[in-house]
Amino acid sequence: MAGLRARVRAVEQAVAAGSRPRVLYVLWPEPLIVPGRESLVTELIEIAGGRSISASEGTDYPRFALEAAVARAPEVILLANHSASTGGIDRERWRGLTSVPAIRDGRLHAVNGDLLHRYGPRIVDGLEQLARAIHPEAFR
Amino acid sequence: MIVEARGVGFVYPPARRVRPFRLADLTFGVAAGELLGVIGPNSAGKTTLIRLLSRVLEPSAGEILLEGRPLARLDRAEVARCVAVVPQGVPPQFPFTVEELVLMGRFPHAPGRYFESGADRATARAAMAATGVLELATLPLDTLSGGERQRAVIARALAQEPRLLVLDEPTAHLDLRYQAETAALLRRLNRERHVSILLVSHDLNLAAEVCDRLLLLAGGRPVRLGAPEEVLEAEVLEAVYGCEVHVDKNAASRRPVVQVVWPDAGGR
Amino acid sequence: MSPGARLVAVLGVLALVLLLVGAAALFVGSAALSPGAVLAALTGRTGARSIESVVTLSIRLPRIAVAALAGGALAVAGVAFQALTRNPLAEPSVLGVSGGAAFGVVIGQSVGLGFGVLGAAGLTAFAFAGAVVAAGAVYLVAGAGRLSVQTLLLAGVIVGLFFASAITVVISFVDVNRLGGVIHWLLGNLATIPPASLGLFALTAAAGLALVLPHARELNLLALGEEAAQQLGVDAERLKLQIFAGAALLTASVVAFAGPIGFVGLIVPHALRLLLGPDNRLLVPAAFVGGGIFLLAADTVARSIVAPAELSVGVITSFCGAPFFVWLLRTRYRALL
């Protein structure tokens, strides 16, 4: 347990100095499902030094309008993939959304959803993964 | 000959009917302008005969010629341009108007056409006029009386401009007045439009009154073919129908009239 | 008025309504763009990389196209199934055909088909296979030959329930994490799809329409009964096969790209019958445009009523469709039951 806490603190310290970019976390792409106010992922994104654009939505995992996500101009987009059996990540549908800073800057990343959606010790692995995706400069 | 059956036989596949039914040795013809009646008891093969003549079914023996050409080699539209079948009515909830129904008769003349042409509409109007339903043209079928509906269905068959009109029990659901009207209509169509008619009917007296010749079927086999007075003989009918009959002559037309001798009539 | 002129007039009016509803839908959405901003995006006065332009042209416009296509395809499938079965209450979802197609898509996804235009083509093929199997099953359950209205509907319900259970089984074997997406999709869910997939959708829907539309006149004759239609020169066996394939393809394409959206094939054809009468030559093309209008309107409601969240459009169509079905049963088709 102590080791896990230390790793969390290390992440917090690493991202403390940086900005807090707007993050769109895509739990499911179609229909678009995102983490809301109460969800674990929203909390993890905070710790990893980002701000989820859907952090103020009512329920845990609300369905979200694609255009609402685009309008909130996320700087980082994280696509959760769900274990190997579901295949690759569909990057294609995001490529056309050229007004989104994350797309413009090439900051569309896949993250391992299995590490982030369930409580347990592996969440710390997930947190480190999130932090690296949101603040790559802090882990060079 | 408009249509000619030569030794036609047909067997329903065993699965289609509980009791296998067969039609055999059917040889007859309908000459141009002739009115032929097909009569016989239930399950004599009358309906099967209509299906064979309209190529809904294919004979398993013999052949049918339509104006000298083998029926089996004609496509459906060709058959429908020559033979028009008048069914007993239209299905329940049939949603179309009289005119729309009659225009359906134009289909075999141009199956590829999306809408009927002006000429098609003129033909349909003439057919409606011939059976007296022109003023009902815009009414849906289910608003008509039984007799009106029958005349609308006949108009649809006339719109096919057939050489042969095949009628399936045209008076089955009609009262006496409509039966008389139908008989008169068929004679008039035959006379004025030179269309040959094959009349399938349970009604021996209607058939005798309207037709030039009668074909009596029983159990899928032809029993007798000839003028009404040759076919409607008491002993023949008694053998076929299994009941006692009395054959008289209609006072006006001199045609045979068949009456059932009710089994209990004397005892009352 | 000649029938041709009437068809042109009807299609003209419907196309105008579709255009108006489509235009209105362009201005509605949770991104809260001003009408001026949408107009600027449409006329190209904003950069291609502006939010206005991306939301209007890359998100709203393709979704409007998907909605119009899916609605049109479902409505034509409804007209086709109703004429084919001579049952006024037949419809892809009522007959269980949508359920079969959905099962096909779920199977396709579980064997790894998914993204890109090839994946979409594969899913469409699986959906078509599923639709054909389901329709065949309905035919077998109800018994061959002339089907009574009740028997056919009951068979459709049974087959639909069977495939719904089968889908649940497959999902529970595949992956819990996919459930969220699948549940929304199973309700019928329109999405912005990439241009290549949209093109494929349009192509399959057009192929389905092309199988049905040229035979609209023969479908009228089928109302006389199969035997009477044959006696009028209709090749009934070939006709039934073509219409069946066309309706299954239309249903499958919608299910593959938008999920099993219910009741469109019931509401739209019957509304149009009240306006235009029973002639399938008017109904088939009118249903293609009218179905587009209906589903587009329903989807615009679905994506704006709870913004920035969204409802599945299938929820809206079912809320309209189920009462409509009951109303039809109790008023117009009481005699059939």
Side-chain angles (χ1 to χ4, degrees):
Chain A
M1 276 307 274
L4 292 177
R5 285 216 187 86
R7 283 167 64 195
V8 173
R9 255 194 314 277
V11 167
E12 285 174 335
Q13 282 163 6
V15 302
S19 62
R20 300 178 68 75
R22 294 184 297 273
V23 176
L24 168 62
Y25 187 92
V26 178
L27 204 77
W28 188 256
E30 191 46 62
L32 183 57
I33 298 175
V34 295
R37 194 169 50 207
E38 311 274 308
S39 84
L40 174 65
V41 176
T42 303
E43 209 175 309
L44 292 172
I45 291 171
E46 284 292 321
I47 298 171
R51 275 183 300 141
S52 166
I53 63 160
S54 56
S56 59
E57 295 311 317
T59 50
D60 286 10
Y61 294 102
R63 241 185 100 169
F64 207 62
L66 180 59
E67 62 174 75
V70 168
R72 291 181 190 184
E75 292 157 292
V76 179
I77 297 179
L78 302 177
L79 304 175
N81 61 13
H82 308 282
S83 70
S85 66
T86 55
I89 282 292
D90 185 14
R91 290 168 187 273
E92 206 50 52
R93 71 171 72 234
W94 302 97
R95 293 245 163 85
L97 308 179
T98 46
S99 76
V100 176
I103 306 296
R104 204 170 48 216
D105 304 339
R107 301 201 60 189
L108 180 71
H109 305 292
V111 293
N112 186 345
D114 287 350
L115 301 179
L116 290 159
H117 302 158
R118 285 168 218 169
Y119 287 93
R122 296 177 70 204
I123 274 188
V124 179
D125 297 337
L127 177 66
E128 287 169 352
Q129 192 191 184
L130 277 183
R132 268 192 209 96
I134 299 171
H135 288 286
E137 77 285 347
F139 293 89
R140 243 170 247 143
Chain B
M1 286 288 172
I2 300 296
V3 66
E4 208 178 341
R6 290 182 179 162
V8 167
F10 180 80
V11 182
Y12 271 104
R16 293 273 303 269
R17 279 190 152 209
V18 184
R19 243 187 312 162
F21 174 82
R22 58 171 61 238
L23 196 71
D25 301 330
L26 205 55
T27 299
F28 72 94
V30 182
E34 191 186 12
L35 254 154
L36 177 74
V38 177
I39 54 174
N42 291 336
S43 75
K46 304 194 292 287
T47 306
T48 305
L49 175 61
I50 293 178
R51 290 184 175 149
L52 288 167
L53 290 179
S54 56
R55 246 207 93 190
V56 172
L57 299 176
E58 306 276 350
S60 49
E63 67 168 348
I64 299 172
L65 301 177
L66 217 53
E67 295 184 298
R69 293 181 299 168
L71 183 65
R73 281 199 226 129
L74 304 178
D75 70 34
R76 292 207 173 280
E78 283 177 297
V79 175
R81 287 197 293 269
C82 187
V83 179
V85 178
V86 179
Q88 290 184 20
V90 293
Q93 304 269 325
F94 184 76
F96 292 96
T97 65
V98 171
E99 183 174 27
E100 287 166 330
L101 169 72
V102 175
L103 278 169
M104 290 179 185
R106 297 305 297 162
F107 177 78
H109 288 273
R113 193 178 279 153
Y114 195 75
F115 287 115
E116 293 87 358
S117 68
D120 288 332
R121 297 186 165 270
T123 310
R125 291 188 79 76
M128 286 188 280
T131 67
V133 290
L134 193 51
E135 65 277 15
L136 309 175
T138 59
L139 297 180
L141 267 283
D142 56 13
T143 64
L144 306 187
S145 73
E148 290 167 337
R149 209 171 301 155
Q150 186 61 47
R151 283 185 284 142
V153 176
I154 294 175
R156 193 223 75 203
L158 288 181
Q160 284 173 251
E161 296 181 304
R163 302 294 314 278
L164 176 69
L165 203 56
V166 178
L167 296 107
D168 185 6
E169 306 283 2
T171 59
H173 308 296
L174 302 183
D175 64 28
L176 280 178
R177 182 186 134 205
Y178 287 123
Q179 289 184 23
E181 274 183 17
T182 305
L185 175 63
L186 294 183
R187 296 192 76 104
R188 185 161 55 77
L189 293 175
N190 175 247
R191 205 168 52 237
E192 291 174 2
R193 296 174 75 106
H194 310 291
V195 58
S196 305
I197 291 178
L198 189 138
L199 172 69
V200 171
S201 184
H202 262 108
D203 187 338
L204 303 181
N205 297 328
L206 174 83
E209 196 58 47
V210 172
C211 298
D212 306 321
R213 285 193 305 155
L214 296 180
L215 169 64
L216 175 62
L217 295 180
R221 285 174 184 276
V223 176
R224 221 168 235 218
L225 174 63
E229 53 275 11
E230 295 164 18
V231 175
L232 297 181
E233 286 180 346
E235 56 271 34
V236 176
L237 295 175
E238 281 170 3
V240 164
Y241 283 92
C243 68
E244 201 181 327
V245 301
H246 174 71
V247 179
D248 217 335
K249 273 206 189 305
N250 183 302
S253 67
R254 309 306 301 157
R255 299 275 185 142
V257 174
V258 181
Q259 288 171 324
V260 176
V261 177
W262 300 105
D264 246 359
R268 251 181 287 180
Chain C
M1 199 187 322
S2 82
R6 184 152 181 256
L7 175 61
V8 170
V10 165
L11 287 183
V13 170
L14 287 173
L16 191 68
V17 174
L18 180 65
L19 211 64
L20 290 175
V21 176
L26 260 185
F27 288 91
V28 176
S30 46
L33 300 182
S34 71
V38 173
L39 281 177
L42 281 174
T43 51
R45 279 184 282 123
T46 58
R49 299 180 135 220
S50 67
I51 285 190
E52 293 87 342
S53 174
V54 166
V55 167
T56 307
L57 301 178
S58 302
I59 297 180
R60 288 185 189 169
L61 204 55
R63 178 147 172 179
I64 286 169
V66 173
L69 262 177
L74 287 173
V76 172
V79 174
F81 277 127
Q82 284 148 26
L84 187 66
T85 60
R86 278 173 277 149
N87 182 334
L89 299 173
E91 192 263 343
S93 60
V94 172
L95 284 179
V97 177
S98 294
F103 179 70
V105 169
V106 170
I107 292 285
Q109 282 175 335
S110 70
V111 301
L113 288 171
F115 310 123
V117 69
L118 275 179
L123 288 182
T124 307
F126 270 82
F128 183 67
V132 168
V133 168
V138 170
Y139 188 73
L140 286 180
V141 171
R146 175 79 166 97
L147 309 175
S148 79
V149 173
Q150 309 93 303
T151 321
L152 189 71
L153 293 182
L154 198 60
V157 168
I158 291 167
V159 169
L161 282 174
F162 174 82
F163 280 111
S165 314
I167 288 170
T168 312
V169 169
V170 172
I171 289 173
S172 62
F173 274 117
V174 171
D175 192 336
V176 179
N177 281 314
R178 307 202 63 180
L179 220 59
V182 168
I183 283 174
H184 288 288
W185 175 79
L186 281 177
L187 288 169
N189 177 57
L190 293 169
T192 298
I193 60 178
S197 299
L198 184 58
L200 177 68
F201 184 20
L203 222 61
T204 44
L209 183 65
L211 280 169
V212 177
L213 184 61
H215 303 289
R217 188 178 175 197
E218 287 157 87
L219 289 180
N220 287 351
L221 270 70
L222 210 53
L224 289 166
E226 212 170 296
E227 185 171 328
Q230 283 182 328
Q231 286 164 340
L232 276 165
V234 175
D235 189 341
E237 290 306 319
R238 211 199 53 208
L239 174 69
K240 287 196 298 183
L241 211 62
Q242 267 170 338
I243 298 300
F244 175 80
L249 190 58
L250 287 164
T251 308
S253 68
V254 175
V255 172
F257 288 99
I261 302 166
F263 292 110
V264 178
L266 193 74
I267 296 174
V268 176
H270 281 285
L272 289 171
R273 265 185 206 107
L274 292 176
L275 292 172
L276 306 174
D279 190 342
N280 288 300
R281 292 172 294 187
L282 284 177
L283 281 180
V284 172
F288 193 68
V289 188
I293 295 170
F294 174 72
L295 198 60
L296 183 52
D299 186 50
T300 306
V301 171
R303 67 189 174 86
S304 56
I305 198 168
V306 290
E310 289 187 332
L311 283 179
S312 292
V313 68
V315 172
I316 307 282
T317 61
S318 295
F319 273 148
C320 303
F324 186 76
F325 187 84
V326 172
W327 176 78
L328 276 179
L329 267 185
R330 297 199 59 107
T331 54
R332 294 174 66 80
Y333 300 111
R334 202 165 203 157
L336 292 182
L337 297 178

